[in-house]
Amino acid sequence: MYATKLKCRSCDSSEALGNFYACQKCGGILEVIYDYDSIKKLKSGLRENFNSREFCLWRYRELLPIKDYSNIVSVGEGGTPLVPLSRTTKIFESKNTYMKLESCNPSGSFKDRPNTVAVSKAVELNGKYVIIASSGNAGGAAAAYAARAGLKCLVCVPEDTPNNKVSQALSHGAQVVLVKGSYSNSYNLALQTSLEFGFVNLTSTFLNPYTVEGDKTLAYEIWEQLNGSIPEWVIIPIGAGPLLVGAYKGFEELKMLGLIDKTPKMIGVQSTECSPIVDAFLAGDEKVKAWDKPSKSVASGIIDPLVGYEEDGTLTKLTIEKSGGTAIKVTDDELIRCANILAKKAGIFVEPAAAAALAALEQAFITVINPEDTVVIVMTGHGLKTPQVLIKPDYKAPVVESVEDLKSLISL
Ligand SMILES: *Cc1c(COP(=O)(O)O)cnc(C)c1O
Ligand SMILES: [Zn+2]
C-alpha cells in the first residue's frame, strides 16, 4: 500500500490510517496521503499494472488506501461508459461533449465509488457495524457493500427521500430510518450515533476520509477513456461536493505523476432551491454559509444545506476556484426539461440531480465554454431511482388485446 497517513487539510497534523472523521487537533477535514515518490518510481509499470486489471475502479489500487487486497469488497463498480452526448440533441454546437454514465454503476449511481472503498477499509479495520447519512443513493450503495461484506448497516435519510432509494437499501437488508428535517439532520444524527456506538461512519460529506479516494477514480477513468488527454471542463452536480473534490484530486495526482500536463476546470452545479456553494462562489465570499431556507426540489440528491459542516462547502468552493472553474445553479424546470432531452433525444435515463449537469452545460456554453472545448458531464444517478418524474403522476399505459384496439392509439 502506498497510502501513508491521514493529513489535516487545515493544520499540518496527521493521523494513522484508522477510523478518524476529523483532525484530532483542530477538527479539520482529513485527507489520505500517499508516497507519490515510490509510485513515480514504478514509471511505465504503473500503467502496465492498470492495464493488467479489468476496467473497474480497483484497477487503480496503487492509488487507493487498502493494504491487504483480500479486504476489497467489490462488485465491479466504476469502469462506466463515456459516450458522446448525442447526434440528435443539438445542444448548441457541443461536438466534444461526453457523458460519463455513473448511472451504470451496480447500484445505479456514482455512490458505489466512495462506498466500495470505505466499506473495504472498514473491513480492513475490523469494523462490524456501519452507519451512513444519505440523500438516498449513498444509502443504497452502502447497504449493498455492507451486505456483501457481512456488516450490519444503518442508513439515515431525510423523510422525503424517494421511495425507490429507500426500498433499495431495505432490500439489501440495511436498517433504514427516515430522519425528520433536511439532509443536515440526517448527517448530524449519523455522526452522533457513530461516535456514541463506535460504528464506522461511511458518510461521504468529507467525514469518512476514504470515500473521496473512491470518488477520485472518476478522473483516472476519464483520462484513460480520452486516450490520455484531459477535457477542458468537467461538470458535476454537487451536494457538499466530495465527488468534485475527489475527481479534481485524481486529476492533480495524474499531473503529479507526470501522466498529464494540465488539469480540467471544474464546474459545480446546485439547485436554486439549495445553492450555498454556488452563492458563496458568485458573491466572492471566502467561506460558504449554511443554507437556512427550506428547500423543495425534485433533485433531492444535490440538496445539502451544510448545517453544522459549512467548511465542507468551503473546501468544494476552494477546489472549484483552484481549478479555474465556475459554479452554476439551475431550477427544477430546467432540470426536468434536460432530463427529458436526455431521455427522449439521447437515450439516457437519469434522475433529476444528474440532469442538472446538462442544464448547467447549456448555461456554461453561453458564459464560459468555447464550442471547441472538450467537456465531460457526469450523469451521477439512474432514472429508475425516481421513475415517476418524467411522466404524468396518474398516467397508466393502455391495456389492449387486439390490433383493432391499437388502431385508435397509433399515430403515424
Ligand atoms: C450524492 C449525489 C450527488 C452529489 O454528490 P456529492 O459528492 O455528495 O456532492 C449528485 N447526484 C446524485 C445523483 C447523487 O446521488
Ligand atoms: Zn488540523
Side-chain angles (χ1 to χ4, degrees):
M1 178 175 66
Y2 295 93
T4 54
K5 60 182 180 183
L6 297 172
K7 187 166 165 289
C8 175
R9 288 178 181 262
S10 304
C11 73
D12 248 357
S13 64
S14 45
E15 311 290 344
L17 292 162
N19 284 323
F20 296 103
Y21 306 115
C23 170
Q24 303 299 292
K25 212 184 243 172
C26 80
I29 298 168
L30 294 170
E31 181 189 14
V32 179
I33 300 295
Y34 296 80
D35 175 3
Y36 292 112
D37 287 337
S38 295
I39 299 175
K40 264 189 211 159
K41 288 197 187 110
L42 295 170
K43 291 209 177 107
S44 61
L46 182 62
R47 294 194 71 167
E48 277 162 29
N49 288 355
F50 292 170
N51 285 329
S52 71
R53 303 175 188 133
E54 66 173 299
F55 191 50
C56 91
L57 173 162
W58 291 100
R59 178 178 172 92
Y60 313 106
R61 58 182 61 170
E62 281 81 359
L63 283 305
L64 292 169
I66 304 298
K67 193 173 187 179
D68 179 350
Y69 295 152
S70 70
N71 290 323
I72 291 174
V73 184
S74 168
V75 285
E77 55 291 317
T80 56
L82 184 75
V83 298
L85 183 53
S86 152
R87 287 180 299 138
T88 54
T89 49
K90 287 211 175 99
I91 297 261
F92 308 92
E93 311 91 87
S94 67
K95 290 187 228 48
N96 303 320
T97 299
Y98 297 86
M99 299 180 284
K100 181 69 171 155
L101 298 184
E102 288 299 288
S103 45
C104 294
N105 273 299
S107 82
S109 86
F110 83 86
K111 297 293 195 318
D112 285 356
R113 294 184 193 271
N115 282 289
T116 184
V117 176
V119 169
S120 299
K121 196 65 192 175
V123 168
E124 188 151 276
L125 295 172
N126 263 319
K128 297 283 174 263
Y129 210 126
V130 294
I131 186 169
I132 188 166
S134 162
S135 62
N137 285 336
Y145 292 93
R148 194 170 172 87
L151 307 180
K152 286 193 168 161
C153 181
L154 175 56
V155 175
C156 305
V157 294
E159 229 176 334
D160 59 357
T161 300
N163 276 334
N164 285 24
K165 297 186 180 182
V166 174
S167 305
Q168 188 177 12
L170 287 170
S171 300
H172 285 299
Q175 171 138 34
V176 180
V177 291
L178 305 178
V179 183
K180 288 192 187 300
S182 76
Y183 170 80
S184 293
N185 297 76
S186 299
Y187 173 100
N188 288 308
L189 181 70
L191 178 56
Q192 282 167 27
T193 309
S194 71
L195 295 176
E196 186 162 335
F197 293 92
F199 297 165
V200 174
N201 192 336
L202 302 175
T203 306
S204 84
T205 315
F206 300 119
L207 259 185
N208 184 310
Y210 305 108
T211 57
V212 167
E213 302 307 299
D215 289 326
K216 90 185 175 189
T217 55
L218 189 83
Y220 285 82
E221 290 180 15
I222 291 171
W223 162 69
E224 286 204 276
Q225 288 171 310
L226 292 178
N227 295 316
S229 76
I230 286 299
E232 271 81 22
W233 304 90
V234 178
I235 305 184
I236 302 184
I238 54 172
L243 180 61
L244 185 146
V245 170
Y248 191 65
K249 178 175 183 179
F251 288 117
E252 284 198 307
E253 283 181 349
L254 284 164
K255 191 168 167 214
M256 196 184 330
L257 295 169
L259 296 166
I260 56 173
D261 51 22
K262 61 171 178 113
T263 52
K265 297 184 266 285
M266 310 298 289
I267 299 182
V269 191
Q270 294 196 295
S271 158
T272 48
E273 283 294 309
C274 183
S275 55
I277 299 173
V278 177
D279 289 356
F281 177 89
L282 296 177
D285 294 344
E286 191 195 332
K287 294 204 160 127
V288 172
K289 289 187 281 294
W291 185 262
D292 52 11
K293 288 160 269 186
S295 306
K296 191 155 176 41
S297 168
V298 286
S300 55
I302 51 172
I303 300 299
D304 187 341
L306 304 171
V307 179
Y309 46 98
E310 296 79 359
E311 64 282 3
D312 288 16
T314 302
L315 171 59
T316 301
K317 186 192 74 95
L318 288 172
T319 304
I320 292 170
E321 286 167 354
K322 194 171 168 209
S323 77
T326 190
I328 290 174
K329 53 184 168 180
V330 298
T331 64
D332 270 19
D333 284 352
E334 290 172 300
L335 291 171
I336 291 174
R337 184 175 50 76
C338 286
N340 263 309
I341 292 173
L342 288 166
K344 296 183 173 65
K345 304 278 186 194
I348 298 296
F349 189 26
V350 297
E351 64 171 289
L358 182 62
L361 176 74
E362 288 188 350
Q363 287 189 32
F365 260 115
I366 298 166
T367 54
V368 291
I369 297 180
N370 295 316
E372 302 307 316
D373 290 350
T374 302
V375 186
V376 173
I377 60 175
V378 182
M379 300 286 106
T380 46
H382 203 288
L384 290 173
K385 297 278 194 166
T386 53
Q388 306 299 329
V389 175
L390 300 185
I391 51 176
K392 294 205 183 77
D394 49 359
Y395 181 78
K396 290 240 166 32
V399 179
V400 298
E401 269 189 309
S402 64
V403 174
E404 205 50 40
D405 293 346
L406 259 177
K407 271 186 186 156
S408 62
L409 298 168
I410 292 173
S411 58
L412 291 172

